[in-house]
Amino acid sequence: MNTKNYVLVTGGAGYIGSHTVAELVANGYECVIVDNLSNSSYESVARLQVLTQHQIPFHKVDLVNYNDLDRVFSMYDIDSVIHFAGLKAVGESTQIPLKYYHNNILGTLVLLEVMQAHGVHKLVFSSSATVYGDATRFPNMIPIPEECPTGPINPYGRTKLAIEEILKDLHDSDKKTWNFAILRYFNPIGAHPSGLIGEDPLGIPNNLLPYMAQVAVKRREKLFVFGDDYDSRDGTPIRDYIHVVDLAKGHIAALKYLDEHSQEGLCREWNLGSGHGSTVMEVYDSFCKAVGKKIPFEVVGRRAGDVLNLTAKPDRAALELKWKTQLDVDIACRDLWRWTVGNPFGYEMRGVRSTFFNNDGEYDSRLITVGKGSAFEVSFTNVGATIVDIEVCGQPVVLGFEKESEYLRDDNPYIGATIGRYANRIKNGEFKLDGEVFQLTKNDGSNTNHSAVQSYHKRKFLGPLVRNVDKGIYTVQFLLDDSHTEFPGDVLIKVNYEVNIPKKELLIEYEGILLNGNSTIMNLTNHSYFNLGAFHSESIEGTEIQIHASKQVELTSSSCATGKLIDIPQRFREKITLGPEDPKLDYCFVSRNEIAIDTRKNDLKTMLTAVNSESGLKLVVTGTDPSFQVYTGDFIHNQKYGPRAGFCCEPGRFIDAVNHTHWRNAVILTKDQSYGSKICYKFEF
Amino acid sequence: MNTKNYVLVTGGAGYIGSHTVAELVANGYECVIVDNLSNSSYESVARLQVLTQHQIPFHKVDLVNYNDLDRVFSMYDIDSVIHFAGLKAVGESTQIPLKYYHNNILGTLVLLEVMQAHGVHKLVFSSSATVYGDATRFPNMIPIPEECPTGPINPYGRTKLAIEEILKDLHDSDKKTWNFAILRYFNPIGAHPSGLIGEDPLGIPNNLLPYMAQVAVKRREKLFVFGDDYDSRDGTPIRDYIHVVDLAKGHIAALKYLDEHSQEGLCREWNLGSGHGSTVMEVYDSFCKAVGKKIPFEVVGRRAGDVLNLTAKPDRAALELKWKTQLDVDIACRDLWRWTVGNPFGYEMRGVRSTFFNNDGEYDSRLITVGKGSAFEVSFTNVGATIVDIEVCGQPVVLGFEKESEYLRDDNPYIGATIGRYANRIKNGEFKLDGEVFQLTKNDGSNTNHSAVQSYHKRKFLGPLVRNVDKGIYTVQFLLDDSHTEFPGDVLIKVNYEVNIPKKELLIEYEGILLNGNSTIMNLTNHSYFNLGAFHSESIEGTEIQIHASKQVELTSSSCATGKLIDIPQRFREKITLGPEDPKLDYCFVSRNEIAIDTRKNDLKTMLTAVNSESGLKLVVTGTDPSFQVYTGDFIHNQKYGPRAGFCCEPGRFIDAVNHTHWRNAVILTKDQSYGSKICYKFEF
């Protein structure tokens, strides 16, 4: 049981759900998302984590399965529920009404049953202005007040009204216990201003804005305007469009209202609309302004069921929830266009495959493969922001595991992982900072190596945010909020991978900033084990490496640094053919002697090259860091891999730099600075 | 797959469901009932079988379980569905609305999904006038036409309306395919004129008539009349009461309408009401007239939600369904009173326990125990209308099995079963009737014994109808429609058991009548094996029997009759102590020499007495038949029982009587006759 108070968000991976989660986190709420992903993508959750820099637990649960939902309620201390989950396509609902009733009504009933079983009694329900049906059938009901008689004209709307009635009946059955806020949405549009999350309709969009957006990116030929002979300013129908971020904020307002009134119990509905109607052509003009050009459209006949004007009377929400819209249609169009340009196919991305990487029933690690179907495929997962696999022309060139659980085993020798907060050794696990002595847990004899406690290689990173930034170039960004550790200061770590398919290059960029505290120490690297051998070779034997350095760090007897640099022995200055047992390398070589906390401005300098003559594969490791550890994997004792199954080249700061005055500035991170470095693995075949 | 066309009746064990099944069978429909028995009793189905003299398959299925329902649809060729199943207590629906929505709506959705999967597209839906809510809120809507706007005022009514909307939406999604008749019931009252089935409300009745009935039989103190200050003839509210038999007939009319219009598809609602309103006091007067005395009542305040007048406008049903009510409130009250008097506690009966006796998933055999909790318990099951157990003061005195499947095994030596159509031997399996020679299948060397094919001991009898006819006296009636066999003529068999607890007597009465054909042959008996031994004795050894006869039937070498009677050997005229192996008896003794097809007018004459000195139990077998076979069970070779585990006394007609002119009239049954006999097992302790 997680002891924080959670808001459970059903359908939280969807359009309105994801925007509401973003607002919830921004307002200090802890959220847990359940979603069956039938009409949404987990990518939105990964992006929400990056956007909010916050862990947001997710469970792939279909609400109609009591036991699955019950398990989630048992895992978290849930205070309230925001219920978005439901099928929502009006047109589809007329084709397959049974599915709509079954999914939407049963899902809600099971949710309420589980809430009842767990003593959770606050719920905000995602209803719709659709419950009013044609409000123009009554005199004086435009703008539409909550008192307007309901009368939905399609199965979708009828499921929403049926759920409203269920909530009312349940509240009536036990008035002081239940607290229901029913939010009747008008026309949500737009996207998060970050451009990271937005609406991602499957198939042909049903709504005006997503349709226009697809026309703008040429997925559709032209916009159809259904009738321009209505009695409006320009002849097209009037609707109440509301920015999805405003709508999301309405849920926070409703949740607060429920909190304030939960003593007496309540069940009440509020319109969430702007109160301002826009015609189809006005919205069209706004959107064209955002796009910067006119998009094609054609006026066709009126559509059955359409009426002149459906504008909200939002006074009740303003008065009671202290909520009103703040963003207009222009802003919504601008935000929609930003989202659309960045994600022309929504969360779907050519060449990217995402699946869950956890054990059954867990859903917070991804296996993201970028370049899927190309000659350069790279796979990542959240634990350790790890490189799980690199395949060059179909040949794997790094070690990796099949399951997240293997990465979490004690015998995992940091395979493919991000190493931090402090890579490599710290003598006696001890260092001074700002006049204070810090003692770390030791894990390597008398020293601390690669950080002993809360080592990044087993930490679950947030995200990733995957983007296709140019043709054949993808970025995969993971975040880690590394707070409350045995290191001084709280930091935010960004691990940004850039996969360049045509160049067969994987560029890694590390950034670390201080969130809390005066300063900290930091040294980040990636711990991939390379094996360029053909036929899934189990050993690095036969691969020829060349170390591009003339100096190395002099080691103490416990593999720490004396503080001196010494010449590399002659035999390691030439090409070295790795044998079955020798040479055994575990040394820190000098790439450059510049000392800085952010090395990203440096050129990428070649550190190591490796060639395997049988496979024909070649690796070039370059980086911006002053040094690099070369390790021939002689101490691997893992379930899957044995000694010399792969070799490492770990660029980073000099060994134990924190304890050597002349190196120390390379690892001390203070406020207003960024830690930074880049590493590049380039392959040739 | 059963090849007949079936009407599937959901909730067919309930009040309206069971009456509709009765009408369906009367109109030549084959029915299969599904019911979860959550608010009904299988007894109604057993009684329907007796009432209709027709097999009505039943499956204990909760509609929310897709797979269970799907299995039933796979077993029968279902043509159409009448959908009664649903929770229906208005008051309870306001207390536990979630359960009402979950059960009623999900049940319907699953039903429709299964129908769709099996290509079944005709459904009559049991809706309610409750969907109109307070029709008096509109001008000119009393009597209420189908056009009256809906507006249910409680969760129960809202589930009904939601289902109506689901049906309309489904029909709209595929208009030519689906055929839905929505029947909006007004106030169903009364019971079947047979008195066998009726309303059996659990808990405090919600409706006027069942409440009055319980007052009349003193289960409730007095009737409460909620308000006598309405603007009606006598100040009490007006409702449209409709005899449940009329209502049931409305379903037949709707089904026929669907059949006639199924080419074009339809979804239409019809009121089922009389069009005549009665006040509460008018109904009260009618009921008191039926009871023959005034029952106590008290006028109390109006009840929330009650309105003056809710009377149906039944014109649409009259015009389109050619249906209108034929029975008035007086008749309904008379029928209700008949049902109430015969079943003061509904289907529940003190001292009777009923459970299913089949294998898992099968629900058409009962284990009925009568006298449960008394010193004389008798258990029966449908297969063979078999006596499964007789316990005298807790001691079992007959052989019996634990499971139906054991009765259906080939090695079952007719234990406890009804034997027919022709008990005992027919020489060469051959007889002449009406000038024709009939050859039966032989199963006993060259003879036919106890009927070889479709022998009653493995036939599933209809019912039983259990009644508590007097203090400590119960009757248990099974029926068998024995048609299309290798015997001439089709017959209806009634097996009537009377359990007299204070007398420790089980009286068996057989009746057989010809349904089709000119004549047939018949000889019926019961094949109980007695074992009076203490401590669950496995042998009859030590029991002392006395045969009350002086003559016996002379046997041929194949144990058939020569036609002559001979004197009983002296040693069998005295008390015989049964030994471990001897004497071996399998003889037909003469009780009387009168030859008649119906012997029921005869006195019960003692045939055999038996005493076990260790247990102290005594048995007296008496009967009306001319002879009785005594058999010491020497040929039992059964999984559970071995030789001499029990002995039999089987009263009946002389061996092979059909082939002996002077005995023949005891077994020839012609039209306008009844076969009849009685057997009594009396115990003493």
Side-chain angles (χ1 to χ4, degrees), chain A residues 420-486:
Chain A
R421 181 179 306 189
Y422 197 97
N424 221 315
R425 293 180 181 81
I426 294 176
K427 192 177 178 187
N428 298 325
E430 193 183 282
F431 63 95
K432 262 193 193 166
L433 193 66
D434 298 333
E436 204 180 331
V437 175
F438 291 89
Q439 178 63 57
L440 303 175
T441 304
K442 298 174 187 177
N443 64 347
D444 183 56
S446 59
N447 305 321
T448 300
N449 187 26
H450 291 342
S451 311
V453 174
Q454 292 181 280
S455 167
Y456 289 3
H457 78 294
K458 290 189 184 173
R459 300 281 294 281
K460 206 155 275 184
F461 281 61
L462 305 177
L465 168 60
V466 184
R467 305 182 104 160
N468 183 356
V469 292
D470 203 346
K471 272 198 181 156
I473 304 180
Y474 297 82
T475 59
V476 179
Q477 185 181 72
F478 293 94
L479 295 189
L480 182 69
D481 179 346
D482 184 35
S483 299
H484 312 299
T485 69
E486 59 183 9

Side-chain angles (χ1 to χ4, degrees), chain A residues 617-633:
Chain A
L617 285 167
K618 183 179 175 189
L619 161 70
V620 180
V621 179
T622 59
T624 62
D625 277 308
S627 68
F628 56 100
Q629 188 88 7
V630 174
Y631 169 48
T632 44

Side-chain angles (χ1 to χ4, degrees), chain B residues 370-378 390-397 499-505 617 683-685:
Chain B
V370 168
K372 191 74 199 168
S374 80
F376 191 58
E377 296 182 1
V378 189
I390 303 176
E391 302 217 357
V392 180
C393 304
Q395 297 177 71
V397 295
V499 178
N500 189 317
I501 292 170
K503 288 188 174 173
K504 300 193 199 68
E505 263 183 24
L617 285 166
F683 298 88
E684 292 172 26
F685 178 62

Side-chain angles (χ1 to χ4, degrees), chain A residues 190-227:
Chain A
H192 196 271
S194 67
L196 291 185
I197 55 173
E199 189 168 8
D200 183 16
L202 296 180
I204 300 172
N206 209 39
N207 296 327
L208 177 62
L209 274 288
Y211 201 102
M212 282 199 296
Q214 293 196 359
V215 173
V217 294
K218 302 199 187 325
R219 286 174 67 183
R220 312 266 162 216
E221 188 194 351
K222 62 186 166 188
L223 173 70
F224 294 101
V225 174
F226 298 101

Side-chain angles (χ1 to χ4, degrees), chain A residues 109-285:
Chain A
L109 290 170
V110 171
L111 173 62
L112 292 166
E113 289 160 8
V114 174
M115 286 175 64
Q116 191 161 38
H118 288 266
V120 179
H121 296 112
K122 277 184 284 185
L123 178 130
V124 178
F125 174 57
S126 168
S127 188
S128 167
T130 315
V131 299
Y132 296 118
D134 177 11
T136 59
R137 72 198 189 279
F138 302 108
N140 305 320
M141 282 291 179
I142 304 293
I144 306 172
E146 287 82 355
E147 293 77 13
C148 176
T150 54
I153 56 170
N154 53 60
Y156 162 71
R158 280 189 274 275
T159 67
K160 287 291 178 191
L161 183 58
I163 292 168
E164 286 195 6
E165 287 174 346
I166 289 168
L167 296 176
K168 283 172 197 158
D169 284 335
L170 183 56
H171 173 250
D172 280 346
S173 76
D174 194 358
K175 278 188 194 293
K176 296 224 165 177
T177 297
W178 291 101
N179 301 277
F180 297 131
I182 293 167
L183 304 183
R184 292 173 174 165
Y185 308 156
F186 280 71
N187 295 45
I189 58 170
H192 196 271
S194 67
L196 291 185
I197 55 173
E199 189 168 8
D200 183 16
L202 296 180
I204 300 172
N206 209 39
N207 296 327
L208 177 62
L209 274 288
Y211 201 102
M212 282 199 296
Q214 293 196 359
V215 173
V217 294
K218 302 199 187 325
R219 286 174 67 183
R220 312 266 162 216
E221 188 194 351
K222 62 186 166 188
L223 173 70
F224 294 101
V225 174
F226 298 101
D228 62 355
D229 54 351
Y230 288 91
D231 183 21
S232 70
R233 296 180 284 280
D234 56 26
T236 58
I238 298 167
R239 295 292 178 273
D240 188 332
Y241 296 94
I242 167 175
H243 194 297
V244 66
V245 170
D246 275 334
L247 185 65
K249 287 178 175 160
H251 294 75
I252 316 298
L255 210 52
K256 287 185 174 152
Y257 187 92
L258 286 187
D259 282 335
E260 285 158 17
H261 293 77
S262 65
Q263 290 309 307
E264 60 260 45
L266 73 114
C267 181
R268 190 157 172 80
E269 54 289 304
W270 289 275
N271 286 338
L272 293 189
S274 71
H276 304 290
S278 302
T279 68
V280 169
M281 290 314 291
E282 286 165 356
V283 174
Y284 169 82
D285 288 340

Side-chain angles (χ1 to χ4, degrees), chain B residues 10 46 99 163 201 208 249 308 331 424 526 644:
Chain B
T10 77
K99 194 173 170 188
I163 292 169
L208 178 61
K249 287 177 175 162
L308 167 61
I331 295 173
N424 222 316
N526 176 272
R644 294 176 85 84

Side-chain angles (χ1 to χ4, degrees), chain B residues 26-101:
Chain B
N27 280 271
Y29 290 91
E30 293 292 336
C31 298
V32 52
I33 293 175
V34 295
D35 201 305
N36 68 1
L37 299 180
S38 74
N39 194 26
S40 57
S41 168
Y42 178 83
E43 296 311 311
S44 65
V45 181
R47 290 182 176 202
L48 275 170
Q49 293 193 359
V50 172
L51 179 63
T52 60
Q53 301 181 358
H54 198 81
Q55 180 66 35
I56 300 164
F58 171 87
H59 295 270
K60 188 166 185 287
V61 165
D62 195 315
L63 293 189
V64 303
N65 297 321
Y66 186 99
N67 291 341
D68 292 356
L69 188 62
D70 183 68
R71 199 176 50 83
V72 175
F73 271 77
S74 299
M75 289 171 67
Y76 301 88
D77 185 7
I78 292 171
D79 174 72
S80 45
V81 175
I82 304 184
H83 177 35
F84 293 103
L87 298 173
K88 61 176 186 179
V90 168
E92 188 186 52
S93 79
T94 66
Q95 308 294 316
I96 47 169
L98 285 187
K99 194 173 170 188
Y100 270 68
Y101 282 103

Side-chain angles (χ1 to χ4, degrees), chain A residues 94-98 101-102 105-106 109-110 112-113 116 154-155 158 162 165-166 169-170 172-173, chain B residues 94-98 101-102 105-106 109-110 112-113 116 154-155 158 162 165-166 169-170 172-173:
Chain A
T94 65
Q95 308 295 315
I96 49 170
L98 286 186
Y101 283 103
H102 197 138
I105 292 183
L106 181 61
L109 290 170
V110 171
L112 292 166
E113 289 160 8
Q116 191 161 38
N154 53 60
R158 280 189 274 275
E165 287 174 346
I166 289 168
D169 284 335
L170 183 56
D172 280 346
S173 76
Chain B
T94 66
Q95 308 294 316
I96 47 169
L98 285 187
Y101 282 103
H102 197 137
I105 292 184
L106 182 61
L109 289 172
V110 171
L112 292 167
E113 288 159 7
Q116 191 162 37
N154 53 60
R158 280 189 275 275
E165 287 174 347
I166 289 168
D169 283 334
L170 183 56
D172 279 346
S173 76

